[in-house]
Amino acid sequence: MNSFGLKFRFTTFGESHGKAIGCVVDGVPAGLAIDEAFIQSELDRRRPGKNKFTTTRKESDSVEILSGVFEGKSTGTPIAMVIFNKDQKSRDYSNIKDIFRPGHADFTYFYKYGIRDYRGGGRSSARETAARVAAGAVAKLLLKEFGIEVAAGVVEVAGIEAKRLDFEYARISEIFALDPAVEEAQKAAILEAKEAHDSVGGAVLVRAKGVPVGLGEPIYYKLDSKLAEAMMSINAAKAVEIGLGIEVSRLRGSQNNDQMAKEGFLSNNAGGILGGISNGEDVVAKVWFKPTPSIFQKQRSVDIHGNEVEVELKGRHDPFVAARGAVVAEAMMALVLADMLLLNATSKLESLKKIYG
Amino acid sequence: MNSFGLKFRFTTFGESHGKAIGCVVDGVPAGLAIDEAFIQSELDRRRPGKNKFTTTRKESDSVEILSGVFEGKSTGTPIAMVIFNKDQKSRDYSNIKDIFRPGHADFTYFYKYGIRDYRGGGRSSARETAARVAAGAVAKLLLKEFGIEVAAGVVEVAGIEAKRLDFEYARISEIFALDPAVEEAQKAAILEAKEAHDSVGGAVLVRAKGVPVGLGEPIYYKLDSKLAEAMMSINAAKAVEIGLGIEVSRLRGSQNNDQMAKEGFLSNNAGGILGGISNGEDVVAKVWFKPTPSIFQKQRSVDIHGNEVEVELKGRHDPFVAARGAVVAEAMMALVLADMLLLNATSKLESLKKIYG
Amino acid sequence: MNSFGLKFRFTTFGESHGKAIGCVVDGVPAGLAIDEAFIQSELDRRRPGKNKFTTTRKESDSVEILSGVFEGKSTGTPIAMVIFNKDQKSRDYSNIKDIFRPGHADFTYFYKYGIRDYRGGGRSSARETAARVAAGAVAKLLLKEFGIEVAAGVVEVAGIEAKRLDFEYARISEIFALDPAVEEAQKAAILEAKEAHDSVGGAVLVRAKGVPVGLGEPIYYKLDSKLAEAMMSINAAKAVEIGLGIEVSRLRGSQNNDQMAKEGFLSNNAGGILGGISNGEDVVAKVWFKPTPSIFQKQRSVDIHGNEVEVELKGRHDPFVAARGAVVAEAMMALVLADMLLLNATSKLESLKKIYG
Amino acid sequence: MNSFGLKFRFTTFGESHGKAIGCVVDGVPAGLAIDEAFIQSELDRRRPGKNKFTTTRKESDSVEILSGVFEGKSTGTPIAMVIFNKDQKSRDYSNIKDIFRPGHADFTYFYKYGIRDYRGGGRSSARETAARVAAGAVAKLLLKEFGIEVAAGVVEVAGIEAKRLDFEYARISEIFALDPAVEEAQKAAILEAKEAHDSVGGAVLVRAKGVPVGLGEPIYYKLDSKLAEAMMSINAAKAVEIGLGIEVSRLRGSQNNDQMAKEGFLSNNAGGILGGISNGEDVVAKVWFKPTPSIFQKQRSVDIHGNEVEVELKGRHDPFVAARGAVVAEAMMALVLADMLLLNATSKLESLKKIYG
């Protein structure tokens, strides 16, 4: 249950306040150059504590590769990576040891597992996503060999929507904003909520360029359904759209269909996927995040004994979780595409013959 | 790739214009009463050709159970069900033998598999979903034993939105409309598009009542991510929301968090899921469908040789695919919940001890 | 639990006395010629009732392809095949309705599932293996494209061992005997046991020629461990050896190691597998079968209420189950190799580049 | 491909001469006391360098738990364990950098992955099995809660066979010998081979007591087929028997069938498994190991360029690999049984009702 993917498959482990988090990436074809600095740079993008828009938790997020790489190349054996936790500070949580935090998973974890790990989010913490970013970096290295590039950015904050999508800009924006023109307003909304001890939600757009036709394995391993699964598995995600998503539900078929000409599709409402298979256009997904549940206001709750309480959280949290979510969404799309790339390799007898001669 | 689920797992097979479609349902606990009439009645709900809002293809969709049931009860062995196709009429497709239909999967299937099955949607046809409905009916029988009930209905057609949700009414509505007050307007929108040789999109709401706390297996088998996958795998689905979905991205944390009191959660913005695990509230998902791609107007396209063509489809198609999609969405949610019910059975040592004494 | 394989994956269904048995074969690359007559001929090889060495149950075992094939070629979608049961005769079992048959699975099925399907072996019957043979025939068609051929035969009956291995001869032998020189003695042993209302055991040798280097996915999807699993899953199998098997445990390393020269390995004690990966030599496995548990002598047993009884079976059974087991073992090896062939296609970045250019 | 099990599932990583090896154990029910000292003691049993019968490689094999345990109990989240390598000494291998070692996996790894990791066995080294033993220790802790105990020992060395099976004695024997009466002869055979720069093979018997009726998920997740797979996946294993194994192939049905009386089965030829499901008797498997391929004599081989060479290995190797293999076989049986225990929990509707009330 802690693994994802079929052929390019990763497994993550670790809790926010345990010794370490990490992942095991299985199915990486042998001979791929594993650029450790690149993996670290991806982690650095997601790393908390860099600016006032994220939690103040300080984590260096130094990744260590334990296996699967020899002389800089993947060997075909599992690549294990570990990130030791530095700044756990579980004392922050002592005052809510027995109290369920509204909007949090501690309620459901407690009743599912019968265990109360009061030290913080535990396994449900967004800290786990660092392991995904490490795995995703390996996926990106593979995709790059085939000219596939994945990028993501924040498209909406507290209802303030980007009008244009500049993925290059998003890489340098503190909040991964796609549109410099609205970035300041978006930032202001975050800080305003933060000052009010509150939080805001938003949306992330993820796009892959260079995806060949044919990725996706219908009926139950379609590219869009696996992307939906991958995106919805990210902390705080509440909705996923493919291509124009909801918008096309209000169009007529004649308006929505992507017609074709010699030069290719004349539009890309579909987000690059037809029948669960990539059609060669950009693959596009949008992920919607709820406002961070950890707010510093009084809220009604109950404790593990069922008593009503008033709870006021302390601690360190992102006022806008979708920002760092953009890096995670990028990783998840890379991981899905890498898996699909491998799976599709045997779709035709002809392809198989290319390999076995 | 044609299987779904881990412990309660089904596999489907069959194409729209082949001999038969069907499914194999594996992991059904032994001793469950298998009500064949109920399974048939579920298929009848989805069956085409019943009214002017659906395709005129006539299929009796008679299901035959081939295995796994003895004296009316499940035996623990796989339940295979088959539905023979009656009204294939592949002649309908002769005029577009080599032409890709805009918005259709024939383009991607051709390039992925190198095979041109010109007889219709083939495997990508919504006809495949009949097999899901049969499997879903078995899942519903299991869920019923634990007081879990799944219902769905159409919540929006061509931008016309239901104001209230009457799941009982949806069962008798020709278009599975949830709100009788807007049903006529919704129907009119469908017929208007149909007359214009066009089609409309819409949305379906699915809800499960009676779901116990604890279903969902984080991190990569969360209830919400598996629901997202399941819903997005339905033909023409382009977006999935959990609970209030996108709406909460525009709220603050203080507005969105479902606070708790002795009597339970004070709201259900989350749609019954926290951290990927059910919290005991109604599980709610919304699925958005694009307008049916099969329209009867002239469209630009290309053929398999790359020549530009103008295509005008003939044939029989739903002008509003989301209607019958409601029955399928219901089945998919039942299938996900049945799987989660089995998976969660061993989450605690304590549960295991109840079984092995 | 009723599926086998990861990429070339089949699912079987059906019981000995139900309506039908069958399989769904998933992952077959598109464009493979599906020779239905060949599939039927494979089933004919396994078919019961052909001579005095097998059960007298008469089954035509006519296979019907329901999906996945268009104009004689695989389409990349699941290939479903069904075989309707003709000669169930469940009346044979009425006298032992409540009695456990020694050496049979009815005891364990009853306690595991709480269901008593008294009509015969049900799902545990060797009848299920017809579905494997149908799936295995598709695997063989795929392997043939790559010059891989699988053959099997009976190597030992009741302790009477073949001295030489003639796989061609085995195809025409009534008991699939590999050595014509001992066949008569082996047949005599079977008939002698049959006349004594008893049964005998034996062993089957399976061999694949033309297997390329590289098949097998260590550590937990090794070629030898998957072959062991596949062979042990056959009814009545009690031991599996790879290559010379047990014999090499009594040799020294210096005697056992397959040394190498320019022309290749100088011996094949290993049975073509090193470290779980094929080495280009013949892949060899031996499967040992217990004597058929269904004998027609008085035996001590208990009934489902726990009462002691004396049971004397009636009915129709193979006095030597390993004979038809040879055909099944062949199918299982083909199925494992087909899966491994697909899985290995992405072991190297270089292979992937051949496909995606 | 580096994961094993479905519900109780472990993934291993690491190479013999890399930084670390380790495992991630998923699916452990929450609330299980995780006795770290016990896990370490299991590793100590397998640890090399303890006496003259094993390799002189010195490894402390200190295990560190990184996640999944809180206040001494499993939390339901994945348990990651890591063992850092101390004594890699890859210089040992410099003289055979380009030469394939007869009987070794370096040949097949090179051609499968196109990578030459000359530092030693790499991923194919028996060192990987330490990770299995760590995972197996967790499985044993779970099984113990249900009264299930697994034990193993060496039953044969170089043809010298144990006459009786004393599993208690095996725990204190330097070679895990089951029969003290033949232990000295077995040890002498090992040392004699060692002095001749050669190696010997042998067999291990594994037995589980207290296994409830019902474990095993036919048809393709049978207890015996999964045991066969698990055992055959151990380095150097070449054959697996269940119960009396090959011996029963030479018996008649009337001699082999385990008849039943009120007090239970009157014999256990079947090794506790009928139809792939445990029958309540001791589960018994025998694993046969080839002689260690690493011998210190001149052998014919080729190098990676295809040139013929004469190779004489140096380094540190077990002259009798089956000894430590006994500890691994024990771990693998525990892992299979733990998985089966969880899987069987939902075999009956009745069991499910015990959990959900």
Side-chain angles (χ1 to χ4, degrees):
Chain A
M1 311 306 178
N2 288 281
S3 301
F4 190 91
L6 209 59
K7 194 87 176 63
F8 189 102
R9 181 177 181 84
F10 70 99
T11 301
T12 71
F13 60 85
E15 295 94 43
S16 59
H17 292 76
K19 271 195 193 173
I21 58 169
C23 61
V24 184
V25 188
D26 206 350
V28 183
L32 179 68
I34 300 297
D35 179 346
E36 200 163 344
F38 172 72
I39 300 174
Q40 186 60 55
S41 73
E42 287 289 288
L43 282 162
D44 291 345
R45 290 176 64 207
R46 198 212 69 97
R47 187 159 53 80
K50 289 188 297 186
N51 58 51
K52 59 192 168 189
F53 304 101
T54 69
T55 169
T56 57
R57 178 168 173 166
K58 296 278 182 210
E59 284 291 351
S60 59
D61 279 355
S62 297
V63 68
E64 196 179 340
I65 298 180
L66 298 181
S67 67
V69 180
F70 180 60
E71 297 180 340
K73 292 206 166 168
S74 64
T75 60
T77 64
I79 300 177
M81 292 182 277
V82 70
I83 299 161
F84 285 91
N85 289 328
K86 307 283 185 198
D87 184 16
Q88 298 99 325
K89 280 204 198 169
S90 33
R91 64 182 174 281
D92 288 340
Y93 296 94
S94 53
N95 66 320
I96 51 157
K97 198 171 176 300
D98 293 338
I99 297 173
F100 296 122
R101 291 173 290 157
H104 264 273
D106 54 359
F107 177 87
T108 48
Y109 271 72
F110 179 70
Y111 284 108
K112 181 179 184 73
Y113 298 114
I115 293 279
R116 176 73 184 170
D117 178 351
Y118 51 80
R119 296 171 301 168
R123 182 73 181 145
S124 75
S125 164
R127 179 133 192 77
E128 182 269 345
T129 61
R132 307 187 191 203
V133 170
V138 177
K140 282 182 175 183
L141 290 170
L142 176 64
L143 295 177
K144 209 177 155 190
E145 296 279 335
F146 298 91
I148 306 170
E149 271 185 50
V150 185
V154 166
V155 76
E156 184 174 315
V157 178
I160 305 164
E161 200 183 344
K163 298 298 167 216
R164 64 188 197 87
L165 309 176
D166 183 338
F167 289 95
E168 276 311 301
Y169 183 76
R171 292 188 67 85
I172 58 165
S173 160
E174 283 178 316
I175 59 162
F176 304 100
L178 282 162
D179 184 355
V182 300
E183 184 185 15
E184 287 315 308
Q186 291 176 329
K187 281 180 166 177
I190 298 170
L191 292 180
E192 199 186 318
K194 190 182 173 185
E195 274 153 43
H197 303 294
D198 214 331
S199 64
V200 290
V204 158
L205 201 90
V206 205
R207 185 200 64 188
K209 292 190 92 67
V211 178
V213 185
L215 303 200
E217 305 290 316
I219 301 297
Y220 297 116
Y221 216 81
K222 287 178 172 177
L223 179 52
D224 41 7
S225 56
K226 278 295 168 187
L227 282 175
E229 181 191 14
M231 296 305 158
M232 198 66 96
S233 79
I234 302 174
N235 305 51
K238 296 302 287 184
V240 182
E241 298 179 271
I242 300 297
L244 291 195
I246 291 174
E247 194 178 328
V248 307
S249 300
R250 289 157 183 165
L251 299 178
R252 286 209 169 171
S254 57
Q255 299 165 301
N256 176 49
N257 281 348
D258 297 317
Q259 299 186 36
M260 284 166 274
K262 259 194 168 133
E263 65 274 22
F265 287 92
L266 300 171
S267 54
N268 186 20
N269 298 342
I273 304 174
L274 282 172
I277 301 169
S278 63
N279 67 5
E281 298 293 304
D282 287 359
V283 173
V284 178
K286 203 191 243 184
V287 198
W288 295 84
F289 293 88
K290 69 178 183 184
T292 321
S294 292
I295 55 172
F296 308 105
Q297 300 182 5
K298 281 200 176 112
Q299 296 179 87
R300 293 180 64 183
S301 189
V302 292
D303 66 17
I304 60 172
H305 312 294
N307 303 313
E308 297 205 346
V309 293
E310 202 164 57
V311 59
E312 195 171 347
L313 299 180
K314 288 165 190 172
R316 307 159 301 178
H317 299 286
D318 291 87
F320 173 61
V321 79
R324 299 199 287 137
V327 184
V328 183
E330 221 179 276
M332 292 308 290
M333 188 182 268
L335 289 157
V336 169
L337 289 172
D339 194 28
M340 294 299 181
L341 195 78
L342 301 195
L343 289 169
N344 180 55
T346 59
S347 60
K348 294 185 244 196
L349 185 60
E350 192 191 313
S351 306
L352 213 50
K353 291 214 163 168
K354 283 183 191 160
I355 291 171
Y356 292 107
Chain B
M1 310 306 180
N2 288 282
S3 300
F4 190 91
L6 208 59
K7 193 90 176 62
F8 189 104
R9 182 177 181 84
F10 69 99
T11 301
T12 70
F13 60 85
E15 297 94 43
S16 60
H17 292 76
K19 268 194 194 174
I21 57 169
C23 62
V24 183
V25 189
D26 206 348
V28 183
L32 179 70
I34 301 298
D35 179 346
E36 201 164 342
F38 173 73
I39 300 173
Q40 187 59 56
S41 72
E42 287 289 288
L43 281 163
D44 291 345
R45 289 176 65 206
R46 198 212 69 97
R47 189 160 52 80
K50 289 189 297 185
N51 58 51
K52 61 192 167 188
F53 304 100
T54 69
T55 169
T56 55
R57 178 169 172 165
K58 297 276 181 212
E59 283 291 350
S60 58
D61 278 356
S62 297
V63 69
E64 195 178 341
I65 298 180
L66 297 181
S67 66
V69 180
F70 180 59
E71 297 181 341
K73 292 204 166 171
S74 65
T75 61
T77 64
I79 300 177
M81 292 183 277
V82 70
I83 298 162
F84 285 92
N85 289 327
K86 308 283 187 198
D87 183 18
Q88 298 100 323
K89 280 205 198 165
S90 35
R91 64 183 176 280
D92 288 341
Y93 296 93
S94 51
N95 66 320
I96 50 157
K97 200 171 175 300
D98 293 338
I99 298 172
F100 296 122
R101 291 172 290 158
H104 264 272
D106 54 359
F107 177 87
T108 49
Y109 270 72
F110 178 70
Y111 284 107
K112 180 180 184 74
Y113 298 114
I115 292 279
R116 176 73 184 170
D117 178 351
Y118 52 78
R119 296 171 301 169
R123 182 73 182 146
S124 76
S125 163
R127 179 132 193 79
E128 182 270 345
T129 61
R132 307 187 191 204
V133 170
V138 176
K140 282 183 174 185
L141 290 171
L142 176 65
L143 295 176
K144 207 177 156 190
E145 295 280 335
F146 298 91
I148 305 169
E149 273 185 47
V150 185
V154 166
V155 75
E156 185 174 315
V157 178
I160 304 163
E161 200 183 343
K163 298 298 169 214
R164 64 188 196 86
L165 309 176
D166 184 339
F167 289 95
E168 276 312 300
Y169 183 77
R171 292 189 67 86
I172 56 166
S173 160
E174 284 178 316
I175 59 163
F176 303 99
L178 282 162
D179 184 354
V182 301
E183 185 186 15
E184 287 315 309
Q186 291 176 328
K187 281 181 166 176
I190 298 170
L191 292 182
E192 199 185 319
K194 190 183 174 185
E195 275 153 39
H197 303 295
D198 214 331
S199 63
V200 289
V204 158
L205 200 90
V206 204
R207 186 200 64 189
K209 293 190 90 68
V211 178
V213 185
L215 304 200
E217 305 291 315
I219 301 297
Y220 298 116
Y221 217 80
K222 287 179 172 177
L223 180 52
D224 39 8
S225 56
K226 277 297 168 183
L227 282 176
E229 181 191 14
M231 297 305 158
M232 198 67 96
S233 79
I234 302 173
N235 305 50
K238 296 302 287 183
V240 182
E241 298 178 271
I242 301 295
L244 291 195
I246 290 174
E247 194 179 329
V248 307
S249 299
R250 289 155 183 167
L251 300 179
R252 286 207 169 173
S254 57
Q255 298 165 303
N256 176 49
N257 281 348
D258 297 315
Q259 300 187 35
M260 284 166 272
K262 259 193 168 136
E263 65 274 20
F265 288 92
L266 299 171
S267 54
N268 185 21
N269 298 342
I273 304 175
L274 282 172
I277 301 169
S278 62
N279 66 5
E281 298 293 305
D282 288 0
V283 172
V284 178
K286 203 191 243 185
V287 198
W288 295 84
F289 293 88
K290 69 177 182 184
T292 321
S294 293
I295 54 172
F296 307 104
Q297 300 183 7
K298 279 195 177 115
Q299 296 178 88
R300 292 181 64 184
S301 189
V302 293
D303 66 18
I304 60 173
H305 312 294
N307 304 313
E308 296 204 348
V309 292
E310 204 165 57
V311 59
E312 195 172 346
L313 300 181
K314 287 166 190 171
R316 305 159 302 177
H317 299 286
D318 291 87
F320 173 61
V321 79
R324 298 198 289 138
V327 184
V328 182
E330 220 181 276
M332 292 308 289
M333 188 182 269
L335 288 158
V336 168
L337 289 172
D339 193 27
M340 295 297 181
L341 195 79
L342 300 196
L343 288 169
N344 180 55
T346 59
S347 60
K348 294 184 245 197
L349 185 61
E350 193 191 313
S351 306
L352 213 51
K353 291 214 164 169
K354 282 183 190 160
I355 290 170
Y356 292 106
Chain C
M1 311 304 178
N2 288 282
S3 300
F4 190 91
L6 209 59
K7 195 90 176 60
F8 190 103
R9 182 177 181 84
F10 69 98
T11 301
T12 71
F13 61 85
E15 296 94 42
S16 60
H17 292 76
K19 268 194 193 172
I21 58 169
C23 62
V24 183
V25 188
D26 206 350
V28 183
L32 179 69
I34 301 297
D35 178 346
E36 199 163 344
F38 172 72
I39 300 174
Q40 186 60 55
S41 73
E42 286 289 287
L43 281 163
D44 292 345
R45 289 176 66 206
R46 198 213 69 98
R47 188 159 53 79
K50 290 188 297 187
N51 58 50
K52 61 191 168 189
F53 303 101
T54 69
T55 169
T56 56
R57 177 167 174 167
K58 296 279 181 210
E59 285 291 350
S60 58
D61 279 353
S62 297
V63 68
E64 195 178 342
I65 297 180
L66 298 182
S67 66
V69 180
F70 180 60
E71 296 181 341
K73 291 206 167 169
S74 63
T75 61
T77 64
I79 300 176
M81 292 182 276
V82 70
I83 299 161
F84 285 91
N85 289 328
K86 308 283 187 196
D87 184 17
Q88 297 98 324
K89 280 203 198 170
S90 33
R91 63 182 177 279
D92 288 339
Y93 295 93
S94 53
N95 66 319
I96 50 156
K97 197 169 177 301
D98 293 339
I99 298 173
F100 296 122
R101 290 172 291 158
H104 265 272
D106 54 359
F107 177 86
T108 49
Y109 271 73
F110 179 70
Y111 285 108
K112 180 179 186 73
Y113 298 113
I115 292 279
R116 176 73 184 170
D117 178 351
Y118 51 80
R119 295 171 301 168
R123 182 75 180 144
S124 75
S125 162
R127 178 131 193 79
E128 182 271 345
T129 60
R132 308 187 191 203
V133 170
V138 176
K140 282 182 175 185
L141 290 170
L142 176 65
L143 295 177
K144 209 178 156 191
E145 295 279 335
F146 298 91
I148 306 169
E149 272 184 48
V150 184
V154 166
V155 76
E156 185 175 316
V157 178
I160 304 164
E161 200 183 345
K163 298 299 169 214
R164 64 190 197 86
L165 308 176
D166 183 339
F167 288 95
E168 275 311 302
Y169 183 76
R171 292 188 65 87
I172 57 166
S173 159
E174 283 178 317
I175 60 163
F176 305 98
L178 283 161
D179 184 355
V182 300
E183 184 186 15
E184 286 315 309
Q186 290 176 328
K187 281 181 165 177
I190 298 170
L191 293 181
E192 199 185 318
K194 188 183 174 186
E195 273 153 42
H197 304 295
D198 214 331
S199 63
V200 290
V204 158
L205 200 89
V206 203
R207 186 200 63 189
K209 291 190 92 69
V211 179
V213 184
L215 303 200
E217 305 291 315
I219 302 294
Y220 298 115
Y221 217 81
K222 288 178 171 175
L223 179 53
D224 40 8
S225 56
K226 278 296 168 186
L227 282 176
E229 181 191 14
M231 297 304 158
M232 198 66 96
S233 78
I234 302 173
N235 305 50
K238 297 301 288 183
V240 182
E241 298 179 272
I242 301 295
L244 291 195
I246 291 174
E247 195 178 328
V248 306
S249 300
R250 288 155 184 167
L251 300 179
R252 286 207 168 174
S254 56
Q255 300 165 302
N256 176 49
N257 282 347
D258 297 315
Q259 299 187 38
M260 283 165 273
K262 260 195 167 131
E263 66 274 21
F265 288 92
L266 300 170
S267 53
N268 186 19
N269 297 342
I273 305 175
L274 281 172
I277 300 169
S278 62
N279 67 5
E281 298 292 304
D282 288 358
V283 172
V284 179
K286 204 191 243 185
V287 200
W288 295 84
F289 294 87
K290 68 178 182 183
T292 322
S294 293
I295 55 171
F296 308 105
Q297 300 183 5
K298 279 196 178 115
Q299 295 179 87
R300 292 180 65 184
S301 189
V302 293
D303 65 19
I304 60 172
H305 312 295
N307 304 312
E308 297 204 346
V309 293
E310 203 165 56
V311 59
E312 196 173 346
L313 300 180
K314 289 166 189 171
R316 305 158 303 177
H317 300 285
D318 291 88
F320 173 62
V321 78
R324 298 199 287 137
V327 184
V328 183
E330 222 180 275
M332 292 308 288
M333 188 181 268
L335 288 157
V336 168
L337 289 172
D339 193 28
M340 294 298 182
L341 195 78
L342 300 196
L343 289 170
N344 180 56
T346 58
S347 61
K348 294 184 245 198
L349 185 60
E350 192 193 313
S351 306
L352 213 50
K353 291 213 163 168
K354 283 183 190 160
I355 290 171
Y356 292 106
Chain D
M1 310 305 177
N2 288 281
S3 300
F4 190 91
L6 209 59
K7 194 89 175 63
F8 189 103
R9 182 176 181 84
F10 69 99
T11 301
T12 71
F13 60 86
E15 297 93 43
S16 60
H17 292 76
K19 269 194 194 174
I21 56 169
C23 61
V24 183
V25 189
D26 206 349
V28 183
L32 180 69
I34 301 298
D35 179 346
E36 200 163 344
F38 172 73
I39 300 173
Q40 187 60 57
S41 73
E42 288 288 289
L43 281 162
D44 291 345
R45 289 175 66 205
R46 198 213 70 98
R47 188 159 54 80
K50 290 189 298 187
N51 59 51
K52 60 192 168 189
F53 303 101
T54 68
T55 169
T56 55
R57 177 168 173 166
K58 296 277 180 213
E59 284 291 350
S60 58
D61 279 355
S62 296
V63 68
E64 195 178 342
I65 298 180
L66 298 181
S67 67
V69 180
F70 181 60
E71 296 181 342
K73 292 206 165 168
S74 64
T75 61
T77 63
I79 300 176
M81 293 183 276
V82 70
I83 299 162
F84 285 91
N85 289 327
K86 309 283 187 197
D87 184 17
Q88 298 99 324
K89 282 202 197 170
S90 34
R91 63 183 176 280
D92 288 338
Y93 296 93
S94 52
N95 67 319
I96 51 157
K97 197 170 176 300
D98 293 338
I99 298 172
F100 297 122
R101 291 171 290 157
H104 266 272
D106 54 359
F107 177 87
T108 48
Y109 270 73
F110 179 71
Y111 285 107
K112 180 180 185 72
Y113 298 113
I115 293 280
R116 176 72 183 170
D117 177 351
Y118 51 78
R119 296 170 301 167
R123 182 75 181 144
S124 76
S125 163
R127 178 131 194 78
E128 182 270 344
T129 61
R132 308 187 191 203
V133 170
V138 177
K140 281 183 175 185
L141 289 170
L142 176 65
L143 295 176
K144 209 178 155 189
E145 296 279 336
F146 298 91
I148 306 170
E149 273 185 48
V150 184
V154 166
V155 75
E156 186 175 315
V157 177
I160 304 165
E161 199 184 344
K163 298 298 169 214
R164 65 192 195 85
L165 308 176
D166 183 340
F167 289 94
E168 276 312 301
Y169 183 77
R171 292 189 67 85
I172 57 167
S173 161
E174 284 178 316
I175 59 162
F176 304 98
L178 282 161
D179 184 355
V182 302
E183 184 186 15
E184 286 315 310
Q186 290 176 328
K187 282 180 165 178
I190 298 170
L191 292 181
E192 199 185 319
K194 189 184 175 184
E195 274 153 42
H197 304 294
D198 215 330
S199 63
V200 290
V204 158
L205 201 89
V206 205
R207 185 200 63 189
K209 293 190 91 68
V211 178
V213 184
L215 304 199
E217 305 291 315
I219 301 294
Y220 298 116
Y221 218 80
K222 287 178 171 177
L223 180 51
D224 40 8
S225 56
K226 278 295 169 185
L227 281 175
E229 181 192 15
M231 297 304 158
M232 198 66 95
S233 78
I234 303 173
N235 306 50
K238 295 302 287 183
V240 182
E241 299 179 90
I242 301 296
L244 291 195
I246 291 174
E247 195 180 328
V248 307
S249 300
R250 290 156 182 166
L251 299 179
R252 286 207 168 172
S254 57
Q255 298 166 302
N256 176 49
N257 281 348
D258 297 315
Q259 300 187 35
M260 285 165 273
K262 258 189 171 137
E263 65 274 20
F265 288 92
L266 300 170
S267 54
N268 185 20
N269 298 341
I273 304 175
L274 281 171
I277 300 168
S278 63
N279 67 5
E281 299 293 303
D282 288 359
V283 172
V284 179
K286 204 191 243 184
V287 198
W288 295 83
F289 294 88
K290 68 178 181 182
T292 322
S294 293
I295 55 172
F296 308 105
Q297 299 182 6
K298 282 200 175 109
Q299 297 179 87
R300 294 180 64 184
S301 190
V302 292
D303 65 18
I304 60 171
H305 312 294
N307 303 313
E308 296 205 347
V309 292
E310 203 164 59
V311 59
E312 195 171 347
L313 301 179
K314 287 167 190 171
R316 305 158 303 178
H317 299 286
D318 292 87
F320 173 61
V321 78
R324 299 199 289 139
V327 184
V328 183
E330 222 180 276
M332 292 307 289
M333 188 182 269
L335 288 157
V336 169
L337 289 172
D339 194 28
M340 294 298 182
L341 195 78
L342 300 196
L343 288 170
N344 181 55
T346 58
S347 61
K348 292 184 246 197
L349 184 61
E350 192 192 314
S351 306
L352 213 52
K353 292 215 163 167
K354 282 182 190 161
I355 290 171
Y356 293 105

